[in-house]
Amino acid sequence: MSTDEDLAVALLRATPTHENRTEEQLRSWAVAALAFGDELPLEDPDVTVVEEANGVAEDVVTLAEYHARTRTVTVHTDSLALLADVAARKGWTDVTPAALRAAAVAHEVVHHRLHGGLARELRHRLDHVVCRVGPLRVRGHVVGADEVVAHRYAHRASGLRRSPLQLSAALAELGG
């Protein structure tokens, strides 16, 4: 079984902007993003949660979506059912619908929290320097790092034994 670090590296590697990055660079970013997700304080998600279907499309599965204007998270029940089915086929009987729902909500809330100061802190930790002018350095966004952070935070917030990175990898296996 792959570790979360290995799965985070694979997630970053699958991101089109990272096709020429070294294994060492991707692993460094994965480790930093996982640590950042571990260090975020667990907070009660002060959001309204609504449920609806239509999260499963032909080639995309959307578990949840955050709507900033209304502070609402829409959880897609058909996607959660699909993920629960995938977990059951893997023999992961500890993956409950309630924990999946909690993970999906936490994941979306963290994406929203990763703006402003937290985004700057994550860029600083990742230390992806895109421009240097003398002693000044401009750090850039690492595409996919926020996903790694959100997956790690969701794991902690939900109480799932299996990490959301493992669950995402299992879901990806369905698509080939």
Side-chain angles (χ1 to χ4, degrees):
M1 176 184 291
S2 296
T3 66
D4 270 5
E5 184 178 313
D6 293 333
L7 293 169
V9 168
L11 185 151
L12 292 172
R13 183 180 296 112
T15 304
T17 59
H18 300 317
E19 58 268 315
N20 295 318
R21 307 283 186 202
T22 66
E23 176 74 15
E24 178 182 71
Q25 180 66 78
L26 294 173
R27 192 156 298 277
S28 170
W29 287 339
V31 167
L34 289 167
F36 196 83
D38 283 339
E39 295 165 15
L40 284 176
L42 292 174
E43 294 179 3
D44 184 27
D46 183 23
V47 296
T48 302
V49 179
V50 297
E51 295 184 353
E52 64 179 48
N54 71 10
V56 179
E58 191 171 307
D59 60 348
V60 176
V61 176
T62 304
L63 293 176
E65 298 172 276
Y66 183 83
H67 311 282
R69 188 176 54 76
T70 59
R71 298 188 53 77
T72 302
V73 174
T74 300
V75 175
H76 297 285
T77 54
D78 55 339
S79 297
L80 290 181
L82 174 63
L83 190 53
D85 182 58
V86 168
R89 283 192 258 157
K90 288 274 200 187
W92 298 341
T93 56
D94 57 305
V95 176
T96 66
L100 288 173
R101 184 180 188 275
V105 171
H107 182 103
E108 291 306 313
V109 169
V110 162
H111 273 300
H112 180 68
R113 286 176 57 197
L114 283 173
H115 293 285
L118 279 179
R120 282 188 299 278
E121 176 61 23
L122 179 57
R123 279 194 309 275
H124 181 76
R125 295 271 196 96
L126 295 167
D127 199 30
H128 175 42
V129 177
V130 294
C131 179
R132 237 181 219 142
V133 180
L136 300 175
R137 296 188 300 175
V138 177
R139 290 182 177 90
H141 177 74
V142 174
V143 179
D146 58 332
E147 274 301 311
V148 174
V149 171
H151 275 66
R152 181 62 138 223
Y153 180 88
H155 188 194
R156 292 175 46 234
S158 67
L160 280 166
R161 223 179 80 215
R162 305 282 170 192
S163 81
L165 285 164
Q166 290 173 314
L167 292 164
S168 292
L171 190 60
E173 288 174 9
L174 287 181

